[in-house]
Amino acid sequence: MRVTFLGTGSAMPTGERFQTGILVQDDGRTLLVDCGSGVLHRLQQSGVGYESVSTVLLTHHHLDHVSDLLPLVKARWLAGEEHLEIVGPQGTKALVDDLLSVYDYLEGRIDLRIREVHEGEFSVAGFDVAAYETRHSVPCLAYRFDDRFTFSGDSEAFGGLTNFAEGSAILAHDCSFPDDVDVSNHPTPETLGKALSGRDIGRVYLTHCYPHTDGRHEEMLESIGAHYDGDVRFAEDLTTVSIE
């Protein structure tokens, strides 16, 4: 399995990090998880391209996770691709319908299939996936791809979520702000470190970084390390991780 971080940023641009998007590839299968602003550009830069993405799996519906959805629809239509499947939590169909009501010239241009999923197990793009409800300001799902990869989506840090990720080779976890920012719906390093304490995870990549984290990576890693002694790193746009 190959996991490529297309976008590791947040709703506040940094100039270096685009909004959320993660590409999961394995044995000829390709899945895009989230599709925030800039993800289409990163797809081209990754060498994969939007032509290869026929399924998008959404964690939730905040703008920085869905804003390139319609640009993806349009790009695939103009490239002669015939279909796109969008899978996500409850409300995904209403979201896409509302977007198309604004850009109605895209209606019917490609075969657009919408599917809603809930906490539990399902299959998408040939992958067997488990979903877990996170703690965010809107309904949001974390996703686990067997024992290889787990993505937290947006969430506060809590034991239920890190227990869901237990045993994963790679965990990509929201870590939006340093400790001195008073925030809800996202973790700080200290709360994430406490939630990770005692967990068996091969490597943790921190993502969804706000500009507040710039220049403060070392102190954030130290804060996590005070509670969790595992391998923790910051994800960067276009970083690819191979998982056996």
PDB file of all heavy atoms in Angstrom, residues 208-241:
ATOM      1  N   HIS A 208      -3.251  18.251   9.061  1.00  0.00           N
ATOM      2  CA  HIS A 208      -4.253  19.307   9.278  1.00  0.00           C
ATOM      3  C   HIS A 208      -3.638  20.469  10.066  1.00  0.00           C
ATOM      4  O   HIS A 208      -4.221  20.985  11.019  1.00  0.00           O
ATOM      5  CB  HIS A 208      -5.487  18.746   9.994  1.00  0.00           C
ATOM      6  CG  HIS A 208      -6.724  19.559   9.747  1.00  0.00           C
ATOM      7  ND1 HIS A 208      -7.114  20.586  10.570  1.00  0.00           N
ATOM      8  CD2 HIS A 208      -7.646  19.502   8.763  1.00  0.00           C
ATOM      9  CE1 HIS A 208      -8.238  21.122  10.111  1.00  0.00           C
ATOM     10  NE2 HIS A 208      -8.573  20.481   9.004  1.00  0.00           N
ATOM     11  N   CYS A 209      -2.487  20.914   9.642  1.00  0.00           N
ATOM     12  CA  CYS A 209      -1.719  21.915  10.380  1.00  0.00           C
ATOM     13  C   CYS A 209      -2.165  23.337  10.026  1.00  0.00           C
ATOM     14  O   CYS A 209      -2.134  23.739   8.855  1.00  0.00           O
ATOM     15  CB  CYS A 209      -0.237  21.763  10.061  1.00  0.00           C
ATOM     16  SG  CYS A 209       0.433  20.146  10.474  1.00  0.00           S
ATOM     17  N   TYR A 210      -2.539  24.093  11.030  1.00  0.00           N
ATOM     18  CA  TYR A 210      -2.837  25.517  10.871  1.00  0.00           C
ATOM     19  C   TYR A 210      -1.532  26.314  10.862  1.00  0.00           C
ATOM     20  O   TYR A 210      -0.486  25.820  11.310  1.00  0.00           O
ATOM     21  CB  TYR A 210      -3.740  25.990  12.006  1.00  0.00           C
ATOM     22  CG  TYR A 210      -5.209  25.779  11.732  1.00  0.00           C
ATOM     23  CD1 TYR A 210      -5.788  24.522  11.849  1.00  0.00           C
ATOM     24  CD2 TYR A 210      -6.020  26.848  11.346  1.00  0.00           C
ATOM     25  CE1 TYR A 210      -7.139  24.319  11.593  1.00  0.00           C
ATOM     26  CE2 TYR A 210      -7.374  26.664  11.089  1.00  0.00           C
ATOM     27  CZ  TYR A 210      -7.923  25.403  11.208  1.00  0.00           C
ATOM     28  OH  TYR A 210      -9.255  25.220  10.938  1.00  0.00           O
ATOM     29  N   PRO A 211      -1.571  27.561  10.368  1.00  0.00           N
ATOM     30  CA  PRO A 211      -0.350  28.386  10.365  1.00  0.00           C
ATOM     31  C   PRO A 211       0.273  28.551  11.745  1.00  0.00           C
ATOM     32  O   PRO A 211       1.476  28.804  11.860  1.00  0.00           O
ATOM     33  CB  PRO A 211      -0.840  29.727   9.814  1.00  0.00           C
ATOM     34  CG  PRO A 211      -2.042  29.404   9.004  1.00  0.00           C
ATOM     35  CD  PRO A 211      -2.694  28.237   9.705  1.00  0.00           C
ATOM     36  N   HIS A 212      -0.533  28.391  12.801  1.00  0.00           N
ATOM     37  CA  HIS A 212      -0.039  28.520  14.174  1.00  0.00           C
ATOM     38  C   HIS A 212       1.082  27.525  14.473  1.00  0.00           C
ATOM     39  O   HIS A 212       1.860  27.726  15.419  1.00  0.00           O
ATOM     40  CB  HIS A 212      -1.178  28.278  15.165  1.00  0.00           C
ATOM     41  CG  HIS A 212      -2.397  29.112  14.925  1.00  0.00           C
ATOM     42  ND1 HIS A 212      -3.152  29.020  13.779  1.00  0.00           N
ATOM     43  CD2 HIS A 212      -3.006  30.057  15.693  1.00  0.00           C
ATOM     44  CE1 HIS A 212      -4.173  29.854  13.844  1.00  0.00           C
ATOM     45  NE2 HIS A 212      -4.108  30.502  14.981  1.00  0.00           N
ATOM     46  N   THR A 213       1.160  26.433  13.699  1.00  0.00           N
ATOM     47  CA  THR A 213       2.175  25.407  13.960  1.00  0.00           C
ATOM     48  C   THR A 213       3.514  25.722  13.310  1.00  0.00           C
ATOM     49  O   THR A 213       4.514  25.073  13.619  1.00  0.00           O
ATOM     50  CB  THR A 213       1.701  24.031  13.464  1.00  0.00           C
ATOM     51  OG1 THR A 213       1.579  24.058  12.033  1.00  0.00           O
ATOM     52  CG2 THR A 213       0.347  23.659  14.079  1.00  0.00           C
ATOM     53  N   ASP A 214       3.553  26.710  12.411  1.00  0.00           N
ATOM     54  CA  ASP A 214       4.791  27.018  11.694  1.00  0.00           C
ATOM     55  C   ASP A 214       5.904  27.387  12.673  1.00  0.00           C
ATOM     56  O   ASP A 214       5.716  28.221  13.574  1.00  0.00           O
ATOM     57  CB  ASP A 214       4.569  28.173  10.713  1.00  0.00           C
ATOM     58  CG  ASP A 214       3.734  27.759   9.510  1.00  0.00           C
ATOM     59  OD1 ASP A 214       3.461  26.553   9.371  1.00  0.00           O
ATOM     60  OD2 ASP A 214       3.361  28.651   8.718  1.00  0.00           O
ATOM     61  N   GLY A 215       7.054  26.771  12.509  1.00  0.00           N
ATOM     62  CA  GLY A 215       8.202  27.065  13.359  1.00  0.00           C
ATOM     63  C   GLY A 215       8.124  26.450  14.740  1.00  0.00           C
ATOM     64  O   GLY A 215       9.000  26.705  15.571  1.00  0.00           O
ATOM     65  N   ARG A 216       7.107  25.629  14.987  1.00  0.00           N
ATOM     66  CA  ARG A 216       6.922  25.092  16.336  1.00  0.00           C
ATOM     67  C   ARG A 216       6.846  23.563  16.342  1.00  0.00           C
ATOM     68  O   ARG A 216       6.371  22.971  17.302  1.00  0.00           O
ATOM     69  CB  ARG A 216       5.668  25.707  16.961  1.00  0.00           C
ATOM     70  CG  ARG A 216       5.707  27.234  16.967  1.00  0.00           C
ATOM     71  CD  ARG A 216       4.543  27.853  17.697  1.00  0.00           C
ATOM     72  NE  ARG A 216       4.580  27.542  19.114  1.00  0.00           N
ATOM     73  CZ  ARG A 216       3.676  28.012  19.994  1.00  0.00           C
ATOM     74  NH1 ARG A 216       2.702  28.794  19.579  1.00  0.00           N
ATOM     75  NH2 ARG A 216       3.763  27.684  21.269  1.00  0.00           N
ATOM     76  N   HIS A 217       7.323  22.957  15.288  1.00  0.00           N
ATOM     77  CA  HIS A 217       7.220  21.506  15.189  1.00  0.00           C
ATOM     78  C   HIS A 217       7.979  20.788  16.299  1.00  0.00           C
ATOM     79  O   HIS A 217       7.471  19.807  16.874  1.00  0.00           O
ATOM     80  CB  HIS A 217       7.729  21.038  13.826  1.00  0.00           C
ATOM     81  CG  HIS A 217       6.821  21.399  12.691  1.00  0.00           C
ATOM     82  ND1 HIS A 217       7.002  20.930  11.413  1.00  0.00           N
ATOM     83  CD2 HIS A 217       5.707  22.175  12.642  1.00  0.00           C
ATOM     84  CE1 HIS A 217       6.053  21.410  10.622  1.00  0.00           C
ATOM     85  NE2 HIS A 217       5.270  22.170  11.346  1.00  0.00           N
ATOM     86  N   GLU A 218       9.168  21.239  16.598  1.00  0.00           N
ATOM     87  CA  GLU A 218       9.980  20.536  17.597  1.00  0.00           C
ATOM     88  C   GLU A 218       9.309  20.553  18.965  1.00  0.00           C
ATOM     89  O   GLU A 218       9.248  19.521  19.650  1.00  0.00           O
ATOM     90  CB  GLU A 218      11.383  21.142  17.678  1.00  0.00           C
ATOM     91  CG  GLU A 218      12.256  20.819  16.481  1.00  0.00           C
ATOM     92  CD  GLU A 218      12.400  19.318  16.241  1.00  0.00           C
ATOM     93  OE1 GLU A 218      12.581  18.582  17.243  1.00  0.00           O
ATOM     94  OE2 GLU A 218      12.315  18.879  15.077  1.00  0.00           O
ATOM     95  N   GLU A 219       8.799  21.719  19.369  1.00  0.00           N
ATOM     96  CA  GLU A 219       8.161  21.770  20.690  1.00  0.00           C
ATOM     97  C   GLU A 219       6.873  20.946  20.715  1.00  0.00           C
ATOM     98  O   GLU A 219       6.529  20.339  21.739  1.00  0.00           O
ATOM     99  CB  GLU A 219       7.857  23.210  21.104  1.00  0.00           C
ATOM    100  CG  GLU A 219       6.772  23.890  20.298  1.00  0.00           C
ATOM    101  CD  GLU A 219       6.443  25.290  20.819  1.00  0.00           C
ATOM    102  OE1 GLU A 219       7.155  26.241  20.445  1.00  0.00           O
ATOM    103  OE2 GLU A 219       5.469  25.412  21.571  1.00  0.00           O
ATOM    104  N   MET A 220       6.169  20.872  19.576  1.00  0.00           N
ATOM    105  CA  MET A 220       4.961  20.055  19.507  1.00  0.00           C
ATOM    106  C   MET A 220       5.305  18.575  19.624  1.00  0.00           C
ATOM    107  O   MET A 220       4.639  17.824  20.332  1.00  0.00           O
ATOM    108  CB  MET A 220       4.200  20.349  18.219  1.00  0.00           C
ATOM    109  CG  MET A 220       3.587  21.742  18.178  1.00  0.00           C
ATOM    110  SD  MET A 220       2.815  22.154  16.586  1.00  0.00           S
ATOM    111  CE  MET A 220       1.402  21.025  16.586  1.00  0.00           C
ATOM    112  N   LEU A 221       6.367  18.151  18.948  1.00  0.00           N
ATOM    113  CA  LEU A 221       6.800  16.755  19.042  1.00  0.00           C
ATOM    114  C   LEU A 221       7.266  16.429  20.467  1.00  0.00           C
ATOM    115  O   LEU A 221       7.001  15.329  20.971  1.00  0.00           O
ATOM    116  CB  LEU A 221       7.916  16.484  18.037  1.00  0.00           C
ATOM    117  CG  LEU A 221       7.505  16.516  16.559  1.00  0.00           C
ATOM    118  CD1 LEU A 221       8.729  16.389  15.665  1.00  0.00           C
ATOM    119  CD2 LEU A 221       6.502  15.401  16.243  1.00  0.00           C
ATOM    120  N   GLU A 222       7.939  17.370  21.104  1.00  0.00           N
ATOM    121  CA  GLU A 222       8.379  17.152  22.485  1.00  0.00           C
ATOM    122  C   GLU A 222       7.185  17.018  23.424  1.00  0.00           C
ATOM    123  O   GLU A 222       7.198  16.204  24.357  1.00  0.00           O
ATOM    124  CB  GLU A 222       9.283  18.297  22.936  1.00  0.00           C
ATOM    125  CG  GLU A 222      10.655  18.285  22.277  1.00  0.00           C
ATOM    126  CD  GLU A 222      11.500  19.490  22.653  1.00  0.00           C
ATOM    127  OE1 GLU A 222      11.026  20.296  23.493  1.00  0.00           O
ATOM    128  OE2 GLU A 222      12.616  19.635  22.108  1.00  0.00           O
ATOM    129  N   SER A 223       6.153  17.803  23.184  1.00  0.00           N
ATOM    130  CA  SER A 223       4.955  17.738  24.017  1.00  0.00           C
ATOM    131  C   SER A 223       4.268  16.376  23.883  1.00  0.00           C
ATOM    132  O   SER A 223       3.849  15.778  24.878  1.00  0.00           O
ATOM    133  CB  SER A 223       3.982  18.861  23.633  1.00  0.00           C
ATOM    134  OG  SER A 223       2.830  18.819  24.429  1.00  0.00           O
ATOM    135  N   ILE A 224       4.177  15.887  22.657  1.00  0.00           N
ATOM    136  CA  ILE A 224       3.616  14.545  22.453  1.00  0.00           C
ATOM    137  C   ILE A 224       4.509  13.504  23.120  1.00  0.00           C
ATOM    138  O   ILE A 224       4.046  12.581  23.788  1.00  0.00           O
ATOM    139  CB  ILE A 224       3.448  14.246  20.952  1.00  0.00           C
ATOM    140  CG1 ILE A 224       2.379  15.153  20.332  1.00  0.00           C
ATOM    141  CG2 ILE A 224       3.090  12.777  20.718  1.00  0.00           C
ATOM    142  CD1 ILE A 224       2.302  15.076  18.820  1.00  0.00           C
ATOM    143  N   GLY A 225       5.829  13.668  22.929  1.00  0.00           N
ATOM    144  CA  GLY A 225       6.790  12.701  23.451  1.00  0.00           C
ATOM    145  C   GLY A 225       6.823  12.607  24.963  1.00  0.00           C
ATOM    146  O   GLY A 225       7.309  11.616  25.513  1.00  0.00           O
ATOM    147  N   ALA A 226       6.317  13.612  25.651  1.00  0.00           N
ATOM    148  CA  ALA A 226       6.252  13.551  27.110  1.00  0.00           C
ATOM    149  C   ALA A 226       5.259  12.489  27.577  1.00  0.00           C
ATOM    150  O   ALA A 226       5.305  12.049  28.735  1.00  0.00           O
ATOM    151  CB  ALA A 226       5.855  14.918  27.672  1.00  0.00           C
ATOM    152  N   HIS A 227       4.366  12.062  26.689  1.00  0.00           N
ATOM    153  CA  HIS A 227       3.341  11.087  27.058  1.00  0.00           C
ATOM    154  C   HIS A 227       3.388   9.820  26.203  1.00  0.00           C
ATOM    155  O   HIS A 227       2.895   8.770  26.633  1.00  0.00           O
ATOM    156  CB  HIS A 227       1.949  11.718  26.923  1.00  0.00           C
ATOM    157  CG  HIS A 227       1.787  12.984  27.675  1.00  0.00           C
ATOM    158  ND1 HIS A 227       1.523  13.013  29.029  1.00  0.00           N
ATOM    159  CD2 HIS A 227       1.879  14.294  27.271  1.00  0.00           C
ATOM    160  CE1 HIS A 227       1.439  14.272  29.429  1.00  0.00           C
ATOM    161  NE2 HIS A 227       1.649  15.057  28.395  1.00  0.00           N
ATOM    162  N   TYR A 228       3.979   9.935  25.003  1.00  0.00           N
ATOM    163  CA  TYR A 228       3.964   8.813  24.054  1.00  0.00           C
ATOM    164  C   TYR A 228       5.342   8.685  23.437  1.00  0.00           C
ATOM    165  O   TYR A 228       5.887   9.660  22.903  1.00  0.00           O
ATOM    166  CB  TYR A 228       2.905   9.090  22.975  1.00  0.00           C
ATOM    167  CG  TYR A 228       2.891   8.096  21.837  1.00  0.00           C
ATOM    168  CD1 TYR A 228       2.481   6.785  22.050  1.00  0.00           C
ATOM    169  CD2 TYR A 228       3.271   8.470  20.548  1.00  0.00           C
ATOM    170  CE1 TYR A 228       2.458   5.868  21.007  1.00  0.00           C
ATOM    171  CE2 TYR A 228       3.244   7.564  19.498  1.00  0.00           C
ATOM    172  CZ  TYR A 228       2.842   6.266  19.737  1.00  0.00           C
ATOM    173  OH  TYR A 228       2.815   5.369  18.704  1.00  0.00           O
ATOM    174  N   ASP A 229       5.909   7.491  23.501  1.00  0.00           N
ATOM    175  CA  ASP A 229       7.292   7.311  23.063  1.00  0.00           C
ATOM    176  C   ASP A 229       7.412   6.697  21.680  1.00  0.00           C
ATOM    177  O   ASP A 229       8.484   6.226  21.285  1.00  0.00           O
ATOM    178  CB  ASP A 229       8.082   6.481  24.082  1.00  0.00           C
ATOM    179  CG  ASP A 229       7.509   5.079  24.274  1.00  0.00           C
ATOM    180  OD1 ASP A 229       6.511   4.736  23.596  1.00  0.00           O
ATOM    181  OD2 ASP A 229       8.056   4.322  25.101  1.00  0.00           O
ATOM    182  N   GLY A 230       6.337   6.710  20.898  1.00  0.00           N
ATOM    183  CA  GLY A 230       6.385   6.138  19.561  1.00  0.00           C
ATOM    184  C   GLY A 230       6.973   7.092  18.539  1.00  0.00           C
ATOM    185  O   GLY A 230       7.376   8.222  18.842  1.00  0.00           O
ATOM    186  N   ASP A 231       7.038   6.636  17.311  1.00  0.00           N
ATOM    187  CA  ASP A 231       7.586   7.389  16.182  1.00  0.00           C
ATOM    188  C   ASP A 231       6.517   8.369  15.689  1.00  0.00           C
ATOM    189  O   ASP A 231       5.494   7.965  15.144  1.00  0.00           O
ATOM    190  CB  ASP A 231       7.974   6.408  15.076  1.00  0.00           C
ATOM    191  CG  ASP A 231       8.650   7.075  13.885  1.00  0.00           C
ATOM    192  OD1 ASP A 231       8.658   8.321  13.805  1.00  0.00           O
ATOM    193  OD2 ASP A 231       9.152   6.343  13.009  1.00  0.00           O
ATOM    194  N   VAL A 232       6.755   9.659  15.876  1.00  0.00           N
ATOM    195  CA  VAL A 232       5.806  10.705  15.477  1.00  0.00           C
ATOM    196  C   VAL A 232       6.518  11.703  14.581  1.00  0.00           C
ATOM    197  O   VAL A 232       7.617  12.170  14.917  1.00  0.00           O
ATOM    198  CB  VAL A 232       5.209  11.431  16.700  1.00  0.00           C
ATOM    199  CG1 VAL A 232       4.165  12.465  16.253  1.00  0.00           C
ATOM    200  CG2 VAL A 232       4.596  10.447  17.678  1.00  0.00           C
ATOM    201  N   ARG A 233       5.899  12.040  13.453  1.00  0.00           N
ATOM    202  CA  ARG A 233       6.486  12.971  12.493  1.00  0.00           C
ATOM    203  C   ARG A 233       5.391  13.885  11.938  1.00  0.00           C
ATOM    204  O   ARG A 233       4.214  13.553  11.981  1.00  0.00           O
ATOM    205  CB  ARG A 233       7.125  12.216  11.321  1.00  0.00           C
ATOM    206  CG  ARG A 233       8.026  11.078  11.723  1.00  0.00           C
ATOM    207  CD  ARG A 233       8.569  10.331  10.532  1.00  0.00           C
ATOM    208  NE  ARG A 233       9.339   9.160  10.947  1.00  0.00           N
ATOM    209  CZ  ARG A 233      10.067   8.419  10.126  1.00  0.00           C
ATOM    210  NH1 ARG A 233      10.104   8.714   8.828  1.00  0.00           N
ATOM    211  NH2 ARG A 233      10.740   7.381  10.583  1.00  0.00           N
ATOM    212  N   PHE A 234       5.806  15.015  11.399  1.00  0.00           N
ATOM    213  CA  PHE A 234       4.872  15.862  10.678  1.00  0.00           C
ATOM    214  C   PHE A 234       4.778  15.401   9.233  1.00  0.00           C
ATOM    215  O   PHE A 234       5.797  15.184   8.571  1.00  0.00           O
ATOM    216  CB  PHE A 234       5.308  17.322  10.719  1.00  0.00           C
ATOM    217  CG  PHE A 234       4.866  18.048  11.961  1.00  0.00           C
ATOM    218  CD1 PHE A 234       5.626  17.986  13.122  1.00  0.00           C
ATOM    219  CD2 PHE A 234       3.681  18.767  11.970  1.00  0.00           C
ATOM    220  CE1 PHE A 234       5.209  18.634  14.272  1.00  0.00           C
ATOM    221  CE2 PHE A 234       3.266  19.419  13.102  1.00  0.00           C
ATOM    222  CZ  PHE A 234       4.022  19.354  14.267  1.00  0.00           C
ATOM    223  N   ALA A 235       3.564  15.235   8.747  1.00  0.00           N
ATOM    224  CA  ALA A 235       3.361  14.965   7.329  1.00  0.00           C
ATOM    225  C   ALA A 235       3.624  16.241   6.532  1.00  0.00           C
ATOM    226  O   ALA A 235       3.424  17.344   7.029  1.00  0.00           O
ATOM    227  CB  ALA A 235       1.934  14.483   7.086  1.00  0.00           C
ATOM    228  N   GLU A 236       4.063  16.073   5.309  1.00  0.00           N
ATOM    229  CA  GLU A 236       4.277  17.184   4.387  1.00  0.00           C
ATOM    230  C   GLU A 236       3.561  16.867   3.081  1.00  0.00           C
ATOM    231  O   GLU A 236       3.432  15.690   2.708  1.00  0.00           O
ATOM    232  CB  GLU A 236       5.770  17.409   4.126  1.00  0.00           C
ATOM    233  CG  GLU A 236       6.615  17.633   5.369  1.00  0.00           C
ATOM    234  CD  GLU A 236       6.362  18.961   6.046  1.00  0.00           C
ATOM    235  OE1 GLU A 236       5.785  19.853   5.395  1.00  0.00           O
ATOM    236  OE2 GLU A 236       6.742  19.079   7.238  1.00  0.00           O
ATOM    237  N   ASP A 237       3.116  17.895   2.380  1.00  0.00           N
ATOM    238  CA  ASP A 237       2.470  17.674   1.097  1.00  0.00           C
ATOM    239  C   ASP A 237       3.387  16.894   0.163  1.00  0.00           C
ATOM    240  O   ASP A 237       4.579  17.188   0.048  1.00  0.00           O
ATOM    241  CB  ASP A 237       2.100  19.004   0.444  1.00  0.00           C
ATOM    242  CG  ASP A 237       0.899  19.657   1.108  1.00  0.00           C
ATOM    243  OD1 ASP A 237       0.591  19.339   2.268  1.00  0.00           O
ATOM    244  OD2 ASP A 237       0.263  20.514   0.454  1.00  0.00           O
ATOM    245  N   LEU A 238       2.822  15.896  -0.486  1.00  0.00           N
ATOM    246  CA  LEU A 238       3.456  15.032  -1.471  1.00  0.00           C
ATOM    247  C   LEU A 238       4.404  14.002  -0.861  1.00  0.00           C
ATOM    248  O   LEU A 238       5.114  13.304  -1.591  1.00  0.00           O
ATOM    249  CB  LEU A 238       4.166  15.837  -2.563  1.00  0.00           C
ATOM    250  CG  LEU A 238       3.224  16.681  -3.451  1.00  0.00           C
ATOM    251  CD1 LEU A 238       4.033  17.516  -4.437  1.00  0.00           C
ATOM    252  CD2 LEU A 238       2.234  15.779  -4.201  1.00  0.00           C
ATOM    253  N   THR A 239       4.400  13.877   0.473  1.00  0.00           N
ATOM    254  CA  THR A 239       5.103  12.763   1.103  1.00  0.00           C
ATOM    255  C   THR A 239       4.370  11.454   0.801  1.00  0.00           C
ATOM    256  O   THR A 239       3.149  11.382   0.947  1.00  0.00           O
ATOM    257  CB  THR A 239       5.185  12.941   2.630  1.00  0.00           C
ATOM    258  OG1 THR A 239       5.988  14.082   2.924  1.00  0.00           O
ATOM    259  CG2 THR A 239       5.781  11.712   3.303  1.00  0.00           C
ATOM    260  N   THR A 240       5.095  10.451   0.342  1.00  0.00           N
ATOM    261  CA  THR A 240       4.509   9.129   0.085  1.00  0.00           C
ATOM    262  C   THR A 240       5.121   8.118   1.055  1.00  0.00           C
ATOM    263  O   THR A 240       6.344   8.079   1.226  1.00  0.00           O
ATOM    264  CB  THR A 240       4.748   8.672  -1.352  1.00  0.00           C
ATOM    265  OG1 THR A 240       4.059   9.561  -2.252  1.00  0.00           O
ATOM    266  CG2 THR A 240       4.223   7.264  -1.585  1.00  0.00           C
ATOM    267  N   VAL A 241       4.255   7.320   1.667  1.00  0.00           N
ATOM    268  CA  VAL A 241       4.688   6.291   2.594  1.00  0.00           C
ATOM    269  C   VAL A 241       4.274   4.938   2.027  1.00  0.00           C
ATOM    270  O   VAL A 241       3.119   4.740   1.662  1.00  0.00           O
ATOM    271  CB  VAL A 241       4.044   6.495   3.988  1.00  0.00           C
ATOM    272  CG1 VAL A 241       4.551   5.433   4.947  1.00  0.00           C
ATOM    273  CG2 VAL A 241       4.333   7.889   4.508  1.00  0.00           C
TER     274      VAL A 241
END
